[in-house]
Amino acid sequence: MTTTIQWAAFGLCAAGAAVRVPGLREGRGRTMFMALVLLTLAVGLSLDPIYLAVDAVLGGVNVANLLLRLALYAVFLLFGIRMAAAFDSARARRLIVGPFGLSIVALTVAATLYFFVSSELGGSSTGLRAFDDQDTVRQYGAVGRLYPGYVAACLVVPAALAVFDRHARPIHRFACALVACGYALVVVFVLLRLTPLPPTSWDILLPFSAILLTVLGLCLIWVSRVTARKSSSSPNKLA
């Protein structure tokens, strides 16, 4: 079940990036395309066959996991910039790309690099599961979850409010509901990992369900905008 949802998330992310390729030629959707490409990379590196193959090329010392973490930070930063604008939330944008938000991402990257270098990571291990006994690896994992959780917390309310926008199309409102649920799951996942509860299947199901919901919502928002654009550009037969 857990492996299935990981592969499903990987496929959906790749498809979401692929459908935006035509728009790139017209200069549209570059930020979201890059975010989806990086998210596809990050999700792919959570899968054993892809992770082990990539890490082997990089020397077999789990640099692939570091790439996964950095890619996720970039994804949430890009999502934060784009979605704060889409939801017209100046507060969310300020929290994400203002001085405080940029300080958080800088400190997160620095801490991630520090704990990675401080750990003994000889031998590829997806998710660094073989090194869970090291305190620095546990701190590395904790730091890696906090920034995505912070950005998701900044965006979950604006996304939820967009669901009640009566002027928006139904498909757009439904898409916003999916995105809001996805961000909410990220927040719940991060909070659960801060508790003494032992991680079980929810450690995979929650974050990858969040990815599925968020990317599906983003794809539906894209469909809604493409449909609206085509409708506005169609000639009025009654004119």
Side-chain angles (χ1 to χ4, degrees):
M1 175 63 179
T2 54
T3 303
T4 300
I5 197 170
Q6 286 176 277
W7 280 105
F10 177 69
L12 183 59
C13 290
V19 298
R20 290 175 179 268
V21 171
L24 293 177
R25 300 171 185 172
E26 301 175 7
R28 296 196 311 268
R30 292 176 181 174
T31 300
M32 292 306 298
F33 172 77
M34 183 57 66
L36 288 169
V37 168
L38 290 172
L39 186 56
T40 303
L41 170 66
V43 174
L45 289 175
S46 72
L47 296 161
D48 280 339
I50 298 176
Y51 182 88
L52 296 176
V54 172
D55 198 58
V57 174
L58 297 175
V61 291
N62 295 291
V63 173
N65 191 275
L66 180 61
L67 290 179
L68 184 160
R69 296 289 181 185
L70 297 178
L72 273 182
Y73 300 157
V75 166
F76 275 87
L77 179 60
L78 293 173
F79 274 175
I81 294 171
R82 188 65 191 90
M83 299 311 291
F87 296 137
D88 195 24
S89 176
R91 179 187 171 114
R93 180 177 174 81
R94 185 170 60 253
L95 288 172
I96 295 169
V97 295
F100 182 72
L102 293 179
S103 297
I104 288 179
V105 71
L107 289 172
T108 300
V109 171
T112 298
L113 292 172
Y114 171 77
F115 286 120
F116 181 83
V117 173
S118 301
S119 302
E120 297 180 6
L121 302 173
S124 298
S125 174
T126 309
L128 304 186
R129 289 188 291 268
F131 309 102
D132 281 342
D133 58 329
Q134 296 183 40
D135 182 64
T136 51
V137 171
R138 291 193 292 271
Q139 295 299 327
Y140 170 82
V143 168
R145 290 185 290 271
L146 290 178
Y147 183 69
Y150 171 76
V151 175
C154 291
L155 292 173
V156 65
V157 172
L161 291 175
V163 177
F164 301 98
D165 182 2
R166 296 182 179 180
H167 301 290
R169 294 179 170 219
I171 187 175
H172 183 85
R173 295 171 66 182
F174 178 66
C176 290
L178 293 177
V179 171
C181 289
Y183 289 146
L185 285 182
V186 173
V187 175
V188 169
F189 169 69
V190 172
L191 292 177
L192 282 176
R193 287 305 305 261
L194 293 174
T195 69
L197 291 174
T200 54
S201 58
W202 60 262
D203 197 40
I204 296 292
L205 293 176
L206 283 180
F208 285 94
S209 294
I211 292 172
L212 285 171
L213 289 171
T214 302
V215 176
L216 181 58
L218 293 175
C219 288
L220 289 178
I221 290 174
W222 175 81
V223 169
S224 176
R225 288 181 175 174
V226 170
T227 303
R229 193 180 303 120
K230 288 182 178 179
S231 298
S232 63
S233 61
S234 296
N236 189 340
K237 294 182 180 180
L238 297 179

